[in-house]
Amino acid sequence: MALTGEQIMAALRTIGLPDGGDLVSRDMIRALQVQGDAVRFVIEAPDAATASRMEPVRQAAETIVGRIDGVSSVSVVLTAPTASGGPTPAPSGSKPPPDLKIGRHPTPQAGPEGVPGVDRIIAIGSGKGGVGKSTVSSNLAVALARQGRKVGLLDADIYGPSQPRMMGVNKRPSSPDGKTIIPLQAHGVTVMSIGFMVDPAKAVVWRGPMLMGALQQMLTQVEWGELDVLLVDLPPGTGDVQLTLCQKTQLTGAIVVSTPQDVALIDARKALDMFNTLKTPVLGLVENMSTYICPNCGHEAHLFGHGGVAAEAEAIDVPFLGALPVDLDTRLAGDAGTPIATGDGPMAEAYATLAKRLIDGGMG
């Protein structure tokens, strides 16, 4: 029987830490890869001082995983972030972090390429900002993960990255070898954003080639591991990032998010036309902010109209994936870094239904 990541994580749960918990419950395991009978992963300590005391733990992890039936080789690297937020190697001998220079010009490639280990790549786009696309992306990623899928989330909104806040992670990614980037984990999802790499108080002022290079780095230089699906949260509009992703990446397809009013649908149609022009299949449309239910009296109101996206989907003959309400708790949960889909209740159920629809359709 083939080795699985679950077997490795189960073994690592048996390694207790001196200050309580274990490597898995303390969320220290990064970039777990199982390739045949070879296993690789990174242990990321919370700080350099802790890492300096964890070499016995690293050795124990290597030994315990090596005892699993079917494992012939184990590589375990120990890292820790620096006080300034950047990664630094722990005393186990890992190499320095990469000199990323996010925003460089792209390197040449022959044509569209996949991402190693990633089965499906789905872009989530919109024709304009303010329709809740990033909220849908983060909650859909969590909902898919809760249904047993291995999910990645790439925040490709270079000018306005919001996933670090919405997913509740703000550490700088580390590197085991000075070449690759180890993404972060949150709520069962593997996450990467340029927001992890730049000062959040500084504006990103780049021309198109730098945007293209940054997107290429985040797709190809990141150790995504084995994923069922990678969701790409696109910036608003139909610009350089969308063009680069569709032309240079083997996309499974795209989901377009819109609110139901006419002014939003005008721009959503432009996004649909862009994906069609770039030969990217449109997997479906989502109507966000579809209804509002008063928490006091239960009255249902349609603040932005209702049903416009469903009608558009029918008119252009693409699937309508569902309608999501306007909800205060969803906004509060996103601001707090704990997506509403992590819990229970009507909104979590709505995202679970959306995730199941994608899974049942072979898209998730």
Side-chain angles (χ1 to χ4, degrees), residues 27-39:
D27 192 27
M28 291 186 179
I29 303 302
R30 301 282 184 269
L32 173 61
Q33 293 188 355
V34 180
Q35 298 177 330
D37 56 3
V39 178

Side-chain angles (χ1 to χ4, degrees), residues 315-332:
I316 63 175
D317 194 26
V318 300
F320 177 63
L321 299 178
L324 299 167
V326 177
D327 180 67
L328 176 60
D329 288 339
T330 300
R331 193 272 294 173
L332 293 173

Side-chain angles (χ1 to χ4, degrees), residues 145-170:
R146 292 189 72 183
Q147 296 190 33
R149 311 307 287 170
K150 297 177 182 177
V151 185
L153 176 61
L154 171 58
D155 184 357
D157 192 345
I158 307 297
Y159 290 135
S162 56
Q163 294 303 342
R165 167 61 68 89
M166 289 186 170
M167 295 297 286
V169 284
N170 57 11

Side-chain angles (χ1 to χ4, degrees), residues 101-359:
K101 294 182 180 177
I102 290 290
R104 70 187 185 194
H105 284 215
T107 55
Q109 61 183 72
E113 297 179 353
V115 177
V118 177
D119 191 13
R120 290 175 287 279
I121 304 174
I122 298 177
I124 300 182
S126 64
K128 63 178 295 177
V131 299
K133 168 187 52 59
S134 293
T135 297
V136 171
S137 298
S138 59
N139 281 284
L140 179 56
V142 170
L144 286 166
R146 292 189 72 183
Q147 296 190 33
R149 311 307 287 170
K150 297 177 182 177
V151 185
L153 176 61
L154 171 58
D155 184 357
D157 192 345
I158 307 297
Y159 290 135
S162 56
Q163 294 303 342
R165 167 61 68 89
M166 289 186 170
M167 295 297 286
V169 284
N170 57 11
K171 296 190 297 183
R172 184 177 175 86
S174 60
S175 171
D177 58 7
K179 297 179 181 178
T180 55
I181 307 167
I182 306 303
L184 303 183
Q185 302 287 325
H187 312 296
V189 178
T190 301
V191 186
M192 184 60 199
S193 170
I194 198 169
F196 300 144
M197 313 300 295
V198 298
D199 185 339
K202 301 293 185 181
V204 176
V205 186
W206 290 345
R207 296 187 185 276
M210 297 176 71
L211 296 176
M212 296 158 61
L215 179 62
Q216 185 184 59
Q217 284 181 272
M218 291 193 293
L219 282 168
T220 63
Q221 201 171 330
V222 170
E223 284 281 359
W224 288 106
E226 299 294 323
L227 297 179
D228 295 310
V229 59
L230 173 62
L231 301 182
V232 183
D233 178 17
L234 291 173
T238 57
D240 289 310
V241 170
Q242 289 87 341
L243 184 63
T244 298
L245 183 71
C246 293
Q247 290 185 329
K248 299 297 185 180
T249 306
Q250 293 175 357
L251 288 180
T252 304
I255 294 172
V256 175
V257 178
S258 178
T259 48
Q261 77 268 37
D262 290 343
V263 70
L265 284 167
I266 290 171
D267 292 322
R269 292 185 187 106
K270 294 176 183 176
L272 291 165
D273 181 67
M274 173 196 69
F275 287 125
N276 288 330
T277 299
L278 297 173
K279 304 296 188 291
T280 299
V282 176
L283 305 178
L285 275 63
V286 173
E287 181 169 287
N288 198 27
M289 308 182 197
S290 181
T291 61
Y292 172 72
I293 307 297
C294 176
N296 296 320
C297 67
H299 173 70
E300 179 176 338
H302 301 144
L303 304 181
F304 301 102
H306 180 72
V309 178
E312 184 70 18
E314 182 178 5
I316 63 175
D317 194 26
V318 300
F320 177 63
L321 299 178
L324 299 167
V326 177
D327 180 67
L328 176 60
D329 288 339
T330 300
R331 193 272 294 173
L332 293 173
D335 285 348
T338 307
I340 197 77
T342 61
D344 299 311
M347 286 304 300
E349 291 175 7
Y351 279 107
T353 300
L354 178 57
K356 187 175 186 302
R357 175 117 192 230
L358 291 177
I359 294 170

